[in-house]
């Protein structure tokens, strides 16, 4: 169920998707100093290193040179600040990073009715809709015989998004959408990341020789010599491919259908996240997608942005049974690796182009840590972060509240001082008994969240903003003694103290800490280290 973060509109989203804001209307745009200040805190935390370009070839360095600072206002109360931006108050930053409003600051605050009208109008302007589904990594067929057939398929993502879109628009905005109004593109193809990008791109433009030729010329020199073709398709896989083909437009028309769409959703899971970012980048370069005339949203569920859980590298199945496709995912833990640089460059490109991104992590995810699913190293006003918690694991306690608070900071463009990195291990799942990596894509509220964010963030047209990137080595061990210092830093942060809602939430967390009685070993150790929190005044 989803916390009441999104009160705009009549529809409710259940509270097992905990977004980082109690009210999406509290987001504001502007320029923040929180992402750039406090150099001493950055230097002391090796998992939140200074903003810098990562090493790579010349094209990558050229793209990454454009990475700037997140443009979000963190020093004012977020509800009126965000509302002003929704009413097209144009904010610019002066050389000192202070705020000034080109239309003055003494105008009337928008009412809830005005915000609702903006959302209703945004919903009515969806026009022709296309949904692209990109599945994640699938285990080798030998393992599938033991563990069962994967359920996170592209067709499922497309159908879930279409149903969630229709339900949300009708319930919240009175907009009716027929099945025929939504074109589905369930793309199928296994393999390593770069192989999959080319394979899925061919499924969209393969029927157009001119586009295919142009796309092949713009393809990066990605060919890692270690890349190998995936296993030959089985009979069941060929049937799945035929079923997916039946849902899609004819091959010769696919590029034209995507180009003519007014709204495009890309829905992906796990390894599909870097694949989808690079795929959208290629579609933008080919002119098939254009975020200046289309609304484009990317929903990444349990995405593997900074690699899998570190301890899985030594898993016997991964080391000796699985293919290079699985082992390649651990390269994303190293910001200097080729795959990590390509992913960051693609994210920078699509975010600067205007694509909206929703990153949803999953509680007790047995494969991907929370900081990886929410792409902790990236900051941009077009990115919204949330965490999915199923009913069996949900509790309104200190740990849940602390993670929601940290997500809320990130969604407001504020620095969490690496808190989410340190908390990720506490809420990680186990390969034996946890299914958080798969349950996230079965929840309709996750898809509704992506629809709502796209509608809300595109109700007006803000100026393009560059992406801020803070690389860190996810495989390096964490120093648990940083956590109390991080909490004290957040408590004393002037930007948080200046925001009444954030200040009140911090005070609530201190009260919850005294009542918190964790059950798992990791949570008990966290509570022991955070004992000083009970003394905060």
């Amino acid at each position: 169920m989803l916390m009441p973060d999104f009160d705009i509109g009549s529809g409710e989203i259940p509270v097992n998707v905990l977004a980082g804001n109690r009210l999406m209307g509290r987001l504001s745009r502007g320029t923040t100093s929180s992402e750039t200040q406090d150099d001493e805190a950055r230097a002391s935390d090796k998992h939140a290193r200074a903003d810098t370009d990562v090493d790579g070839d010349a094209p990558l360095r050229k793209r990454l040179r454009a990475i700037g600072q997140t443009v979000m206002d963190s020093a004012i109360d977020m509800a009126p600040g965000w509302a002003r931006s929704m009413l097209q108050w144009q904010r610019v930053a002066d050389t000192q990073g202070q705020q000034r409003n080109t239309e003055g600051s003494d105008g009337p605050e928008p009412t809830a009715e005005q915000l609702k009208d903006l959302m209703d109008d945004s919903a009515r302007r969806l026009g022709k809709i296309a949904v692209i589904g990109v599945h994640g990594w699938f285990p080798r067929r030998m393992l599938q015989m033991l563990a069962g057939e994967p359920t996170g398929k592209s067709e499922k993502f497309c159908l879930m998004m279409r149903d969630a879109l229709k339900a949300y628009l009708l319930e919240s905005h009175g907009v009716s959408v027929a099945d025929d109004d939504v074109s589905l593109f369930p793309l199928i193809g296994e393999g390593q990341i770069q192989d999959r990008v080319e394979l899925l791109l061919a499924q969209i433009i393969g029927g157009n020789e001119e586009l295919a030729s142009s796309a092949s010329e713009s393809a990066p020199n990605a060919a890692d010599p270690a890349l190998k073709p995936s296993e030959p398709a089985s009979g069941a896989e060929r049937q799945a491919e035929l079923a997916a083909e039946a849902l899609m437009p004819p091959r010769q028309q696919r590029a034209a259908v995507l180009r003519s769409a007014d709204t495009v959703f890309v829905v992906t899971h796990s390894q599909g996240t870097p694949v989808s970012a690079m795929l959208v980048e290629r579609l933008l370069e080919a002119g098939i997608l254009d975020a200046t005339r289309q609304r484009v949203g990317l929903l990444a569920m349990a995405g593997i942005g900074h690699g899998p859980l570190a301890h899985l590298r030594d898993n016997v199945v991964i080391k000796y049974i699985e293919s290079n496709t699985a082992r390649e995912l651990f390269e994303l833990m190293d910001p200097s690796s080729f795959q990590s640089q390509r992913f960051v460059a693609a994210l920078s490109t699509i975010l600067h182009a205007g694509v909206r991104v929703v990153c949803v992590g999953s509680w007790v995810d047995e494969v991907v840590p929370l900081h990886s699913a929410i792409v902790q190293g990236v900051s941009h006003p077009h990115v919204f972060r949330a965490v999915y918690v199923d009913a069996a694991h949900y509790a309104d306690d200190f740990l849940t509240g602390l993670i929601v608070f940290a997500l809320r900071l990130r969604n407001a463009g504020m620095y969490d001082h690496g808190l989410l990195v340190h908390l990720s291990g506490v809420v990680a799942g186990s390969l034996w008994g946890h299914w958080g990596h798969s349950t996230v894509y079965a929840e309709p509220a996750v898809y509704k969240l992506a629809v709502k964010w796209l509608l809300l963030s595109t109700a007006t047209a803000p100026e393009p903003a560059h992406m801020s990137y803070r690389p860190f080595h996810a495989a390096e061990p964490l120093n648990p003694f940083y956590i109390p210092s991080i909490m004290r830093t957040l408590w004393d942060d002037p930007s948080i103290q200046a925001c009444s809602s954030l200040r009140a939430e911090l005070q609530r967390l201190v009260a919850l800490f005294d009542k918190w009685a964790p059950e798992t070993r990791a949570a008990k150790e966290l509570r022991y280290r955070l004992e000083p929190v009970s003394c905060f005044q």
Side-chain angles (χ1 to χ4, degrees), residues 201-272:
L201 184 65
Q203 293 178 31
I204 294 175
I205 64 177
N208 188 313
E209 294 182 3
E210 181 179 351
L211 281 175
S213 175
S214 174
S216 62
E217 292 175 0
S218 65
N221 296 324
D224 186 326
L227 292 180
K228 296 180 181 179
S230 57
E231 300 173 87
S234 65
E237 289 170 339
R238 283 193 292 269
Q239 290 180 358
E241 292 173 3
L242 292 175
E245 289 278 342
L247 289 175
M248 287 192 274
R251 185 174 290 269
Q252 294 78 8
Q253 301 176 15
R254 291 174 189 172
V257 170
L258 274 180
R259 187 182 283 113
S260 63
D262 301 293
T263 303
V264 179
F265 290 97
V266 182
V267 189
T268 187
H269 174 252
S270 192
Q271 182 220 27

Side-chain angles (χ1 to χ4, degrees), residues 380-399:
H380 194 280
H382 293 168
V383 178
F384 191 84
R385 295 171 166 92
V387 59
Y388 168 78
V389 186
D390 61 21
H393 297 95
Y394 176 74
D396 185 17
D397 61 9
F398 171 80
L399 180 58

Side-chain angles (χ1 to χ4, degrees), residues 142-315:
M142 178 177 64
L143 295 177
Q144 292 182 29
M145 294 174 63
L146 299 175
E149 184 179 353
T151 57
K153 298 184 177 180
S154 300
E155 310 97 279
K156 180 183 183 72
F157 300 159
C158 286
L159 295 173
M160 289 284 290
M161 175 55 81
R162 184 185 67 183
D163 294 344
L165 174 72
K166 291 169 54 182
Y168 169 73
L169 291 177
L170 187 61
E171 296 165 1
S172 300
H173 304 289
V175 176
S176 179
V177 177
D179 287 351
D180 294 341
D181 296 333
V182 183
S183 300
L184 304 182
F185 293 80
L187 306 180
I188 295 180
E190 299 181 47
Q192 294 183 273
I193 293 173
Q194 299 297 329
D195 287 346
R196 291 195 63 198
V197 173
E198 301 302 324
L199 182 61
L200 303 188
L201 184 65
Q203 293 178 31
I204 294 175
I205 64 177
N208 188 313
E209 294 182 3
E210 181 179 351
L211 281 175
S213 175
S214 174
S216 62
E217 292 175 0
S218 65
N221 296 324
D224 186 326
L227 292 180
K228 296 180 181 179
S230 57
E231 300 173 87
S234 65
E237 289 170 339
R238 283 193 292 269
Q239 290 180 358
E241 292 173 3
L242 292 175
E245 289 278 342
L247 289 175
M248 287 192 274
R251 185 174 290 269
Q252 294 78 8
Q253 301 176 15
R254 291 174 189 172
V257 170
L258 274 180
R259 187 182 283 113
S260 63
D262 301 293
T263 303
V264 179
F265 290 97
V266 182
V267 189
T268 187
H269 174 252
S270 192
Q271 182 220 27
T273 298
V275 172
S276 295
M278 297 176 200
L279 176 64
V280 172
E281 178 190 41
R282 297 287 296 281
L283 292 173
L284 289 168
E285 291 174 348
I288 297 174
L289 296 182
D290 183 353
T292 62
R293 61 175 178 81
Q294 297 171 310
R295 286 191 276 186
V296 183
L298 171 62
L299 170 60
M301 300 177 288
I304 204 154
H306 295 308
L309 290 166
H311 68 82
L312 294 180
R313 188 196 297 270
D314 298 324
N315 184 276

Side-chain angles (χ1 to χ4, degrees), residues 46-125:
K46 62 185 176 182
H47 294 278
R49 299 184 177 178
D51 296 346
T52 181
D53 290 343
V54 294
D55 296 331
D57 56 22
L60 287 175
R61 288 197 301 271
K62 182 177 179 182
R63 283 181 184 171
L64 292 176
R65 276 200 301 268
I67 293 178
Q69 291 301 315
T70 303
V71 199
M72 296 287 280
D73 188 352
S74 63
I76 61 175
D77 185 81
M78 287 183 283
W82 181 88
R84 287 192 179 111
S85 70
M86 284 292 291
L87 293 180
Q88 295 181 312
W89 289 62
Q90 302 300 318
R91 295 181 179 271
V92 294
D94 62 18
T95 54
Q96 284 77 38
Q98 302 297 319
Q99 300 299 316
R100 66 174 181 267
N101 194 308
T102 58
E103 296 186 20
S105 58
D106 55 352
E109 294 294 347
T111 64
E113 290 74 15
Q114 288 175 310
L115 294 178
K116 177 66 164 58
D117 290 342
L118 279 172
M119 287 287 288
D120 287 343
D121 178 67
S122 185
R124 287 190 291 268
R125 292 186 288 107

Side-chain angles (χ1 to χ4, degrees), residues 164 357 468:
V357 177
S468 174

